[in-house]
Amino acid sequence: MRDGDETILRLFVAARAAGDGQAVARLWAELLTLNFDRVEQLVYLESHDRLSRQVQEDALQLALLRLAMIPRRRRGFEGTTKGEWVEFSKRVVRAACIDTQRREVRHSERRAGLHTTDEEGQERLTKEAYEAILKEEDERDDDRELRRELGALSDEFFDWALPQMSESHRKMIECDRQGMSTEKIIAKLGKKTRDAVYKLRERAMKALMKLREEYKA
């Protein structure tokens, strides 16, 4: 850090002690802007012998994003000196590089599993990968149709219908109304597979449509 950085750091520490959230966020952003080159160098030093240049860029973006979010976190930067700031940044950068490397390994393994080589040496999608892509496209179409159906129903109807549904069906419908992805629904509802979500959705929609008929009557 240069002299100007140290001044901003002192102001940041004072604002943090005073509980001035707006000043904390503004001063932290200034620190990051002035130390962009330092963070970039930390990423390079941490990953130069392990990550490609493109993956290093991904790690840098992740590190900067995590650093930018620090003022919003319960346990943020608690130091007061430039040395502590640098060490804190090193920890964030190290974690970002590790997470980026792990993600790249997973993607590489997934890409390798999706392709095969034919007799002419050309790379082709495996049968399983092709079928998975088709299934994913069908699921997207189903999701779009579902959202159209839910969007056509009034808030008044949902206010009347949802309290009459079972807890699992109600939660499923609420997730779909919020436009949540299948992966988020799996986590929120504690399901183990996508198929489990689809089966629950099918039952919940049947119950909802039955209530719609009663509502019309």
Side-chain angles (χ1 to χ4, degrees), residues 38-87:
R38 178 186 292 275
V39 176
E40 186 176 36
Q41 183 182 33
L42 289 175
V43 170
Y44 175 75
L45 292 174
E46 180 65 32
S47 64
H48 74 278
D49 58 344
R50 294 185 291 112
L51 303 180
S52 68
R53 185 57 187 167
Q54 179 56 54
V55 179
Q56 282 180 340
E57 288 295 327
D58 294 340
L60 174 60
Q61 293 303 315
L62 180 58
L64 289 171
L65 177 61
R66 289 181 176 179
L67 284 168
M69 295 295 291
I70 291 301
R72 302 183 186 181
R73 295 180 177 175
R74 182 176 299 179
R75 290 186 59 83
F77 173 64
E78 300 176 354
T80 59
T81 67
K82 65 178 183 181
E84 290 173 312
W85 191 93
V86 171
E87 286 303 314

Short mmCIF file of all heavy atoms in Angstrom, two decimals, residues 38-87:
data_model
loop_
_atom_site.label_atom_id
_atom_site.label_comp_id
_atom_site.label_asym_id
_atom_site.label_seq_id
_atom_site.Cartn_x
_atom_site.Cartn_y
_atom_site.Cartn_z
N ARG A 38 -2.18 -5.05 -7.06
CA ARG A 38 -1.66 -5.91 -6.00
C ARG A 38 -2.43 -7.23 -5.96
O ARG A 38 -1.83 -8.31 -5.85
CB ARG A 38 -1.75 -5.22 -4.64
CG ARG A 38 -1.24 -6.11 -3.50
CD ARG A 38 -1.49 -5.45 -2.15
NE ARG A 38 -0.64 -4.27 -2.00
CZ ARG A 38 0.60 -4.31 -1.56
NH1 ARG A 38 1.17 -5.47 -1.28
NH2 ARG A 38 1.30 -3.20 -1.43
N VAL A 39 -3.76 -7.15 -6.05
CA VAL A 39 -4.58 -8.36 -6.04
C VAL A 39 -4.27 -9.23 -7.25
O VAL A 39 -4.14 -10.45 -7.15
CB VAL A 39 -6.08 -8.01 -6.00
CG1 VAL A 39 -6.94 -9.28 -6.09
CG2 VAL A 39 -6.43 -7.24 -4.73
N GLU A 40 -4.10 -8.58 -8.41
CA GLU A 40 -3.75 -9.33 -9.62
C GLU A 40 -2.41 -10.04 -9.44
O GLU A 40 -2.26 -11.21 -9.84
CB GLU A 40 -3.68 -8.37 -10.81
CG GLU A 40 -3.46 -9.07 -12.15
CD GLU A 40 -3.49 -8.08 -13.30
OE1 GLU A 40 -3.00 -6.94 -13.12
OE2 GLU A 40 -4.00 -8.44 -14.37
N GLN A 41 -1.45 -9.37 -8.83
CA GLN A 41 -0.15 -9.99 -8.59
C GLN A 41 -0.26 -11.15 -7.61
O GLN A 41 0.40 -12.19 -7.78
CB GLN A 41 0.84 -8.95 -8.06
CG GLN A 41 2.24 -9.49 -7.85
CD GLN A 41 3.19 -8.44 -7.29
OE1 GLN A 41 2.78 -7.59 -6.52
NE2 GLN A 41 4.44 -8.51 -7.68
N LEU A 42 -1.09 -11.01 -6.60
CA LEU A 42 -1.28 -12.08 -5.63
C LEU A 42 -1.86 -13.32 -6.31
O LEU A 42 -1.47 -14.45 -5.99
CB LEU A 42 -2.21 -11.61 -4.50
CG LEU A 42 -1.64 -10.58 -3.52
CD1 LEU A 42 -2.71 -10.13 -2.54
CD2 LEU A 42 -0.43 -11.16 -2.77
N VAL A 43 -2.81 -13.11 -7.21
CA VAL A 43 -3.39 -14.23 -7.95
C VAL A 43 -2.31 -14.93 -8.78
O VAL A 43 -2.22 -16.16 -8.80
CB VAL A 43 -4.54 -13.76 -8.86
CG1 VAL A 43 -4.98 -14.88 -9.82
CG2 VAL A 43 -5.72 -13.30 -8.01
N TYR A 44 -1.49 -14.14 -9.45
CA TYR A 44 -0.43 -14.72 -10.28
C TYR A 44 0.56 -15.52 -9.43
O TYR A 44 0.92 -16.64 -9.77
CB TYR A 44 0.31 -13.62 -11.04
CG TYR A 44 1.50 -14.15 -11.82
CD1 TYR A 44 1.31 -14.85 -13.02
CD2 TYR A 44 2.80 -13.98 -11.34
CE1 TYR A 44 2.40 -15.37 -13.71
CE2 TYR A 44 3.89 -14.48 -12.03
CZ TYR A 44 3.68 -15.18 -13.22
OH TYR A 44 4.75 -15.69 -13.90
N LEU A 45 0.98 -14.94 -8.31
CA LEU A 45 1.95 -15.62 -7.46
C LEU A 45 1.38 -16.91 -6.88
O LEU A 45 2.09 -17.90 -6.70
CB LEU A 45 2.39 -14.69 -6.33
CG LEU A 45 3.23 -13.48 -6.75
CD1 LEU A 45 3.47 -12.57 -5.55
CD2 LEU A 45 4.55 -13.92 -7.37
N GLU A 46 0.09 -16.90 -6.59
CA GLU A 46 -0.55 -18.06 -5.99
C GLU A 46 -0.77 -19.18 -7.00
O GLU A 46 -0.79 -20.35 -6.64
CB GLU A 46 -1.91 -17.65 -5.38
CG GLU A 46 -2.69 -18.77 -4.73
CD GLU A 46 -1.99 -19.34 -3.50
OE1 GLU A 46 -1.28 -18.58 -2.80
OE2 GLU A 46 -2.14 -20.55 -3.25
N SER A 47 -0.93 -18.82 -8.29
CA SER A 47 -1.40 -19.83 -9.25
C SER A 47 -0.57 -19.96 -10.52
O SER A 47 -0.94 -20.73 -11.41
CB SER A 47 -2.83 -19.48 -9.66
OG SER A 47 -2.85 -18.23 -10.35
N HIS A 48 0.57 -19.27 -10.64
CA HIS A 48 1.28 -19.22 -11.92
C HIS A 48 1.74 -20.59 -12.40
O HIS A 48 1.88 -20.83 -13.60
CB HIS A 48 2.48 -18.27 -11.83
CG HIS A 48 3.63 -18.80 -11.04
ND1 HIS A 48 3.68 -18.74 -9.66
CD2 HIS A 48 4.77 -19.42 -11.44
CE1 HIS A 48 4.80 -19.28 -9.25
NE2 HIS A 48 5.49 -19.71 -10.29
N ASP A 49 1.99 -21.53 -11.48
CA ASP A 49 2.47 -22.85 -11.89
C ASP A 49 1.36 -23.90 -11.87
O ASP A 49 1.62 -25.08 -12.06
CB ASP A 49 3.62 -23.30 -10.99
CG ASP A 49 3.21 -23.36 -9.53
OD1 ASP A 49 2.16 -22.77 -9.17
OD2 ASP A 49 3.93 -23.98 -8.73
N ARG A 50 0.09 -23.46 -11.62
CA ARG A 50 -1.01 -24.42 -11.52
C ARG A 50 -2.18 -24.12 -12.44
O ARG A 50 -2.93 -25.03 -12.80
CB ARG A 50 -1.51 -24.48 -10.07
CG ARG A 50 -0.49 -25.05 -9.10
CD ARG A 50 -1.06 -25.20 -7.70
NE ARG A 50 -1.29 -23.91 -7.06
CZ ARG A 50 -2.48 -23.41 -6.78
NH1 ARG A 50 -3.55 -24.08 -7.11
NH2 ARG A 50 -2.60 -22.25 -6.18
N LEU A 51 -2.35 -22.86 -12.81
CA LEU A 51 -3.52 -22.48 -13.60
C LEU A 51 -3.09 -21.83 -14.91
O LEU A 51 -2.09 -21.13 -14.98
CB LEU A 51 -4.40 -21.49 -12.82
CG LEU A 51 -4.92 -21.95 -11.45
CD1 LEU A 51 -5.78 -20.86 -10.83
CD2 LEU A 51 -5.71 -23.24 -11.56
N SER A 52 -3.88 -22.07 -15.97
CA SER A 52 -3.63 -21.40 -17.24
C SER A 52 -3.98 -19.92 -17.11
O SER A 52 -4.61 -19.50 -16.14
CB SER A 52 -4.50 -22.02 -18.34
OG SER A 52 -5.87 -21.74 -18.12
N ARG A 53 -3.56 -19.14 -18.11
CA ARG A 53 -3.82 -17.70 -18.05
C ARG A 53 -5.32 -17.40 -18.00
O ARG A 53 -5.75 -16.53 -17.24
CB ARG A 53 -3.19 -17.02 -19.28
CG ARG A 53 -3.30 -15.50 -19.26
CD ARG A 53 -2.66 -14.93 -18.00
NE ARG A 53 -2.89 -13.51 -17.86
CZ ARG A 53 -2.66 -12.82 -16.76
NH1 ARG A 53 -2.19 -13.44 -15.69
NH2 ARG A 53 -2.90 -11.52 -16.70
N GLN A 54 -6.10 -18.13 -18.78
CA GLN A 54 -7.54 -17.90 -18.79
C GLN A 54 -8.16 -18.23 -17.44
O GLN A 54 -9.01 -17.50 -16.92
CB GLN A 54 -8.20 -18.75 -19.88
CG GLN A 54 -9.72 -18.59 -19.96
CD GLN A 54 -10.14 -17.14 -20.16
OE1 GLN A 54 -9.69 -16.48 -21.09
NE2 GLN A 54 -10.99 -16.63 -19.27
N VAL A 55 -7.71 -19.34 -16.86
CA VAL A 55 -8.25 -19.73 -15.56
C VAL A 55 -7.78 -18.76 -14.47
O VAL A 55 -8.50 -18.48 -13.51
CB VAL A 55 -7.84 -21.18 -15.22
CG1 VAL A 55 -8.38 -21.59 -13.85
CG2 VAL A 55 -8.37 -22.14 -16.28
N GLN A 56 -6.57 -18.21 -14.63
CA GLN A 56 -6.10 -17.18 -13.71
C GLN A 56 -7.02 -15.97 -13.75
O GLN A 56 -7.31 -15.37 -12.71
CB GLN A 56 -4.68 -16.76 -14.06
CG GLN A 56 -3.61 -17.73 -13.60
CD GLN A 56 -2.22 -17.25 -13.97
OE1 GLN A 56 -2.04 -16.42 -14.85
NE2 GLN A 56 -1.21 -17.77 -13.29
N GLU A 57 -7.49 -15.61 -14.94
CA GLU A 57 -8.42 -14.48 -15.07
C GLU A 57 -9.71 -14.78 -14.32
O GLU A 57 -10.29 -13.90 -13.66
CB GLU A 57 -8.72 -14.21 -16.54
CG GLU A 57 -7.56 -13.58 -17.30
CD GLU A 57 -7.23 -12.18 -16.79
OE1 GLU A 57 -8.16 -11.48 -16.34
OE2 GLU A 57 -6.05 -11.81 -16.83
N ASP A 58 -10.18 -16.03 -14.41
CA ASP A 58 -11.39 -16.42 -13.68
C ASP A 58 -11.16 -16.33 -12.18
O ASP A 58 -12.03 -15.86 -11.43
CB ASP A 58 -11.79 -17.85 -14.05
CG ASP A 58 -12.23 -17.97 -15.50
OD1 ASP A 58 -12.58 -16.94 -16.10
OD2 ASP A 58 -12.22 -19.10 -16.03
N ALA A 59 -9.98 -16.76 -11.74
CA ALA A 59 -9.65 -16.69 -10.31
C ALA A 59 -9.57 -15.25 -9.84
O ALA A 59 -10.01 -14.92 -8.73
CB ALA A 59 -8.32 -17.41 -10.05
N LEU A 60 -9.02 -14.37 -10.68
CA LEU A 60 -8.93 -12.96 -10.33
C LEU A 60 -10.32 -12.36 -10.16
O LEU A 60 -10.58 -11.62 -9.20
CB LEU A 60 -8.15 -12.20 -11.41
CG LEU A 60 -8.09 -10.67 -11.24
CD1 LEU A 60 -7.43 -10.29 -9.93
CD2 LEU A 60 -7.35 -10.05 -12.44
N GLN A 61 -11.22 -12.65 -11.11
CA GLN A 61 -12.58 -12.13 -11.02
C GLN A 61 -13.27 -12.63 -9.76
O GLN A 61 -13.99 -11.86 -9.09
CB GLN A 61 -13.36 -12.53 -12.27
CG GLN A 61 -12.88 -11.88 -13.55
CD GLN A 61 -12.88 -10.37 -13.47
OE1 GLN A 61 -13.84 -9.75 -12.99
NE2 GLN A 61 -11.81 -9.76 -13.93
N LEU A 62 -13.08 -13.90 -9.42
CA LEU A 62 -13.69 -14.44 -8.22
C LEU A 62 -13.12 -13.79 -6.97
O LEU A 62 -13.87 -13.45 -6.04
CB LEU A 62 -13.48 -15.96 -8.17
CG LEU A 62 -14.09 -16.69 -6.96
CD1 LEU A 62 -15.59 -16.46 -6.89
CD2 LEU A 62 -13.77 -18.18 -7.02
N ALA A 63 -11.80 -13.61 -6.94
CA ALA A 63 -11.17 -12.97 -5.78
C ALA A 63 -11.67 -11.54 -5.60
O ALA A 63 -11.98 -11.11 -4.48
CB ALA A 63 -9.65 -12.99 -5.95
N LEU A 64 -11.74 -10.80 -6.70
CA LEU A 64 -12.22 -9.41 -6.62
C LEU A 64 -13.67 -9.35 -6.16
O LEU A 64 -14.06 -8.47 -5.39
CB LEU A 64 -12.07 -8.73 -7.99
CG LEU A 64 -10.64 -8.42 -8.43
CD1 LEU A 64 -10.62 -7.98 -9.88
CD2 LEU A 64 -10.01 -7.36 -7.53
N LEU A 65 -14.48 -10.29 -6.66
CA LEU A 65 -15.88 -10.33 -6.25
C LEU A 65 -16.01 -10.60 -4.76
O LEU A 65 -16.78 -9.94 -4.04
CB LEU A 65 -16.62 -11.40 -7.05
CG LEU A 65 -18.10 -11.62 -6.68
CD1 LEU A 65 -18.91 -10.36 -6.90
CD2 LEU A 65 -18.68 -12.79 -7.46
N ARG A 66 -15.24 -11.57 -4.28
CA ARG A 66 -15.30 -11.89 -2.85
C ARG A 66 -14.79 -10.76 -1.99
O ARG A 66 -15.35 -10.46 -0.93
CB ARG A 66 -14.51 -13.17 -2.59
CG ARG A 66 -15.19 -14.42 -3.13
CD ARG A 66 -14.39 -15.68 -2.85
NE ARG A 66 -15.11 -16.86 -3.30
CZ ARG A 66 -14.64 -18.10 -3.20
NH1 ARG A 66 -13.45 -18.31 -2.67
NH2 ARG A 66 -15.36 -19.13 -3.62
N LEU A 67 -13.73 -10.11 -2.45
CA LEU A 67 -13.21 -8.96 -1.70
C LEU A 67 -14.22 -7.82 -1.68
O LEU A 67 -14.40 -7.15 -0.66
CB LEU A 67 -11.89 -8.49 -2.31
CG LEU A 67 -10.67 -9.35 -1.98
CD1 LEU A 67 -9.49 -8.95 -2.87
CD2 LEU A 67 -10.30 -9.23 -0.51
N ALA A 68 -14.90 -7.61 -2.81
CA ALA A 68 -15.88 -6.52 -2.88
C ALA A 68 -17.06 -6.76 -1.94
O ALA A 68 -17.68 -5.80 -1.45
CB ALA A 68 -16.39 -6.38 -4.32
N MET A 69 -17.35 -8.03 -1.64
CA MET A 69 -18.48 -8.36 -0.78
C MET A 69 -18.14 -8.32 0.70
O MET A 69 -19.04 -8.46 1.54
CB MET A 69 -18.98 -9.77 -1.13
CG MET A 69 -19.55 -9.90 -2.53
SD MET A 69 -21.06 -8.92 -2.75
CE MET A 69 -22.19 -9.85 -1.71
N ILE A 70 -16.89 -8.12 1.05
CA ILE A 70 -16.45 -8.18 2.44
C ILE A 70 -17.25 -7.26 3.37
O ILE A 70 -17.66 -7.68 4.46
CB ILE A 70 -14.94 -7.87 2.55
CG1 ILE A 70 -14.13 -9.02 1.93
CG2 ILE A 70 -14.52 -7.64 4.00
CD1 ILE A 70 -14.36 -10.37 2.57
N PRO A 71 -17.52 -5.98 3.00
CA PRO A 71 -18.25 -5.12 3.94
C PRO A 71 -19.66 -5.62 4.26
O PRO A 71 -20.23 -5.24 5.29
CB PRO A 71 -18.32 -3.77 3.19
CG PRO A 71 -17.16 -3.80 2.26
CD PRO A 71 -17.07 -5.23 1.82
N ARG A 72 -20.23 -6.49 3.42
CA ARG A 72 -21.59 -6.99 3.66
C ARG A 72 -21.61 -8.23 4.53
O ARG A 72 -22.68 -8.70 4.92
CB ARG A 72 -22.26 -7.31 2.32
CG ARG A 72 -22.34 -6.12 1.38
CD ARG A 72 -23.08 -6.51 0.11
NE ARG A 72 -23.05 -5.45 -0.87
CZ ARG A 72 -23.63 -5.51 -2.06
NH1 ARG A 72 -24.31 -6.60 -2.39
NH2 ARG A 72 -23.55 -4.51 -2.91
N ARG A 73 -20.45 -8.81 4.79
CA ARG A 73 -20.39 -10.05 5.54
C ARG A 73 -20.24 -9.80 7.03
O ARG A 73 -19.65 -8.80 7.45
CB ARG A 73 -19.23 -10.91 5.05
CG ARG A 73 -19.42 -11.38 3.61
CD ARG A 73 -18.27 -12.23 3.14
NE ARG A 73 -18.49 -12.73 1.79
CZ ARG A 73 -17.62 -13.43 1.10
NH1 ARG A 73 -16.45 -13.72 1.66
NH2 ARG A 73 -17.88 -13.85 -0.11
N ARG A 74 -20.77 -10.74 7.80
CA ARG A 74 -20.70 -10.61 9.26
C ARG A 74 -19.26 -10.62 9.74
O ARG A 74 -18.87 -9.85 10.61
CB ARG A 74 -21.49 -11.75 9.91
CG ARG A 74 -21.53 -11.68 11.43
CD ARG A 74 -22.39 -12.79 11.99
NE ARG A 74 -23.77 -12.65 11.53
CZ ARG A 74 -24.74 -13.51 11.85
NH1 ARG A 74 -24.47 -14.55 12.61
NH2 ARG A 74 -25.96 -13.32 11.39
N ARG A 75 -18.47 -11.54 9.19
CA ARG A 75 -17.06 -11.60 9.55
C ARG A 75 -16.24 -11.11 8.36
O ARG A 75 -15.92 -11.87 7.45
CB ARG A 75 -16.66 -13.03 9.92
CG ARG A 75 -17.25 -13.49 11.24
CD ARG A 75 -16.69 -14.86 11.62
NE ARG A 75 -15.24 -14.83 11.75
CZ ARG A 75 -14.60 -14.42 12.82
NH1 ARG A 75 -15.27 -13.97 13.86
NH2 ARG A 75 -13.28 -14.44 12.87
N GLY A 76 -15.96 -9.82 8.37
CA GLY A 76 -15.20 -9.23 7.29
C GLY A 76 -13.76 -8.99 7.70
O GLY A 76 -13.17 -9.77 8.45
N PHE A 77 -13.19 -7.91 7.20
CA PHE A 77 -11.82 -7.55 7.54
C PHE A 77 -11.83 -6.86 8.91
O PHE A 77 -12.45 -5.82 9.09
CB PHE A 77 -11.24 -6.62 6.48
CG PHE A 77 -9.89 -6.08 6.84
CD1 PHE A 77 -8.80 -6.92 6.99
CD2 PHE A 77 -9.70 -4.71 7.03
CE1 PHE A 77 -7.55 -6.42 7.33
CE2 PHE A 77 -8.46 -4.20 7.35
CZ PHE A 77 -7.38 -5.07 7.50
N GLU A 78 -11.14 -7.46 9.87
CA GLU A 78 -11.14 -6.92 11.23
C GLU A 78 -9.81 -6.28 11.62
O GLU A 78 -9.62 -5.84 12.75
CB GLU A 78 -11.47 -8.04 12.23
CG GLU A 78 -12.85 -8.65 11.97
CD GLU A 78 -13.17 -9.82 12.89
OE1 GLU A 78 -12.24 -10.22 13.65
OE2 GLU A 78 -14.30 -10.31 12.86
N GLY A 79 -8.85 -6.24 10.68
CA GLY A 79 -7.53 -5.67 10.98
C GLY A 79 -7.53 -4.15 10.96
O GLY A 79 -8.54 -3.50 10.67
N THR A 80 -6.36 -3.60 11.24
CA THR A 80 -6.22 -2.13 11.28
C THR A 80 -5.00 -1.65 10.51
O THR A 80 -4.85 -0.44 10.30
CB THR A 80 -6.12 -1.63 12.74
OG1 THR A 80 -4.98 -2.26 13.36
CG2 THR A 80 -7.37 -1.98 13.52
N THR A 81 -4.10 -2.55 10.10
CA THR A 81 -2.85 -2.14 9.46
C THR A 81 -2.80 -2.64 8.02
O THR A 81 -3.53 -3.55 7.63
CB THR A 81 -1.64 -2.69 10.22
OG1 THR A 81 -1.61 -4.13 10.08
CG2 THR A 81 -1.71 -2.34 11.70
N LYS A 82 -1.87 -2.05 7.24
CA LYS A 82 -1.74 -2.47 5.86
C LYS A 82 -1.24 -3.90 5.75
O LYS A 82 -1.62 -4.64 4.83
CB LYS A 82 -0.81 -1.52 5.09
CG LYS A 82 0.64 -1.53 5.55
CD LYS A 82 1.47 -0.59 4.71
CE LYS A 82 2.96 -0.62 5.11
NZ LYS A 82 3.76 0.30 4.28
N GLY A 83 -0.39 -4.31 6.70
CA GLY A 83 0.09 -5.69 6.70
C GLY A 83 -1.05 -6.68 6.88
O GLY A 83 -1.10 -7.72 6.22
N GLU A 84 -1.96 -6.35 7.78
CA GLU A 84 -3.12 -7.22 8.01
C GLU A 84 -4.03 -7.24 6.78
O GLU A 84 -4.60 -8.28 6.44
CB GLU A 84 -3.89 -6.74 9.24
CG GLU A 84 -3.16 -6.98 10.55
CD GLU A 84 -3.87 -6.35 11.72
OE1 GLU A 84 -4.26 -5.15 11.62
OE2 GLU A 84 -4.04 -7.01 12.75
N TRP A 85 -4.16 -6.10 6.11
CA TRP A 85 -4.98 -6.05 4.89
C TRP A 85 -4.38 -6.94 3.80
O TRP A 85 -5.11 -7.67 3.13
CB TRP A 85 -5.07 -4.61 4.39
CG TRP A 85 -6.10 -4.42 3.31
CD1 TRP A 85 -7.40 -4.04 3.49
CD2 TRP A 85 -5.91 -4.60 1.91
NE1 TRP A 85 -8.04 -3.98 2.27
CE2 TRP A 85 -7.16 -4.33 1.29
CE3 TRP A 85 -4.84 -4.97 1.11
CZ2 TRP A 85 -7.34 -4.41 -0.09
CZ3 TRP A 85 -5.02 -5.08 -0.26
CH2 TRP A 85 -6.26 -4.78 -0.85
N VAL A 86 -3.07 -6.88 3.66
CA VAL A 86 -2.41 -7.70 2.63
C VAL A 86 -2.59 -9.18 2.96
O VAL A 86 -2.89 -9.99 2.08
CB VAL A 86 -0.92 -7.33 2.52
CG1 VAL A 86 -0.20 -8.33 1.61
CG2 VAL A 86 -0.76 -5.92 1.98
N GLU A 87 -2.38 -9.56 4.21
CA GLU A 87 -2.52 -10.97 4.60
C GLU A 87 -3.96 -11.44 4.41
O GLU A 87 -4.21 -12.57 3.98
CB GLU A 87 -2.10 -11.17 6.06
CG GLU A 87 -0.59 -11.10 6.26
CD GLU A 87 0.14 -12.13 5.41
OE1 GLU A 87 -0.29 -13.30 5.37
OE2 GLU A 87 1.14 -11.75 4.77
#
